[in-house]
Amino acid sequence: MAIESDVLVVGGGLAGLTSALAAARAGADTRLVSYKQSTLRHASGLVDVLGYTPDGDGPLADPFDAIPDLPESHPYRTVGVETVREALALFDDAAPRYRGDHTDANALVPTHGGTVKPTARYPDSASAGVASDDRDALLVGFAAMPDFDAPQAAAHLDAAGVPFDVRGATIQFPGDLRADAKVTRYAKLLDANSAVPVDGRDKSVRAALAERVAAELDGEERVGFPAILGDDDAAGVRESLADELGVAVFEVPMGPPSLPGLRLEDALFDALDDAGVSIETGNPVVDYDGGDRIERVYVEKNSACIPNAADQYVLATGGLVGKGVESDREGVYEPIFDCHVAHADDRYDWFADDAFGDHQFARFGVATDDELRPEAADGSTEFENLRAAGSVLGGYDFAAEKSGSGVSIATGYAAGRAAAEETR
């Protein structure tokens, strides 16, 4: 007997989570199945809507103002500006520890590489670090954490012309953690405010860390740390350090594994639980039944294929990186439903000779109609009850545009809402 629901979402990334939440909040009995854990743990935690145009112009001050001028094939043109706004409102409600909803303007947030990234939403842990703030800043790195070279990041920010003085310092983290210590190890120590040995006696790790940072301060009004400042009590860790130091404290977004990404994942899964979404992870969708309509999909579990049936389906399995779009010597394809993916016959046309050139593969993905239903090569609808969302969609280069999270949220919201409406 098949496991049944009104809406079945395939994929557990930001698009899939948003789609499932939108469908459930619209009243549909919703189920989400995902082969892998959410990719949010690999993301910075920043939510970009649009940082640069497809022509490379930017950073953009107002991403919403630029959307109407995007190519017609872009997913933002498909869903429209107002849907992007509605989708972000859903995100803001589900992730209350985020800032940026007070304005249409992008914020410029420093990253661990010393660049500034245009972003529409950012964790409150990063809010004191935005580049529009003219307070001088000290960046602090740890000797056992090579992923964040604070002096180098500060030098890059200074060269970029930020409107404040910034410098970096590298210190030993109290307790002298090993170089291979996970970021969660730092976070748990700070959460618990555990005692660590310092100069022959035990001292709380927050106090010991503040003491070492205070010795480096030279009049700066804010201090930036790599994003390891707690998990369960991140706000409490920042508040404790700020009180000890007498300055504002912020986190600099890092690469994977990302604590801000993990915190966002927790917030979204809590919202899904509250909305009553049924969730299954760790098992792939491997086949389906149906013609013009999908009747059921099959989830492989313990070498058995378990049927899952729904009235409406959402495909949110990711792009080339997430294996939602795959390629071989024969071509480019979507592996679950075999949805059409437009591409040149000659593989050498898929990329440009210039490493930073206009690569066709960056825009590979499923083309859809105005309702986000995948289209065949002749423009006909592939399945009347399937919608696609997120980076499985084609027609845009999320890496160059800095639009990945925004497209996932906007199209996930639109697909989930439309799917729920069809079940009424």
Side-chain angles (χ1 to χ4, degrees), residues 88-103:
L88 285 173
L90 178 78
F91 174 85
D92 293 334
D93 181 71
R97 293 192 177 278
Y98 268 68
R99 304 281 185 91
D101 61 333
H102 64 293
T103 177

Side-chain angles (χ1 to χ4, degrees), residues 9-17 32-40 265 269 281 316-318:
V9 178
V10 183
L14 187 54
L17 300 180
L32 181 147
V33 294
S34 175
Y35 181 25
K36 300 177 181 178
Q37 291 181 313
S38 168
T39 55
L40 287 172
E265 178 185 283
F269 272 98
T281 61
T317 46

Side-chain angles (χ1 to χ4, degrees), residues 309-325:
D311 183 63
Q312 300 290 317
Y313 297 82
V314 176
L315 176 68
T317 46
L320 285 168
V321 175
K323 301 297 185 181
V325 174

Side-chain angles (χ1 to χ4, degrees), residues 130-137 162-165 221-222:
V130 294
S132 57
D133 191 330
D134 62 3
R135 291 178 294 177
D136 293 347
V162 293
F164 52 87
D165 289 336
E221 298 172 274
R222 50 183 176 154

Side-chain angles (χ1 to χ4, degrees), residues 22-23 39 51 64-65 75 109 127 148 181 187 201 238 255 260 284-285 307 384-385 423:
T39 55
F64 301 97
D65 187 54
V109 179
S127 61
F148 182 49
R201 59 190 180 89
R238 294 196 312 277
V285 173
E384 63 182 57
N385 63 337
T423 66

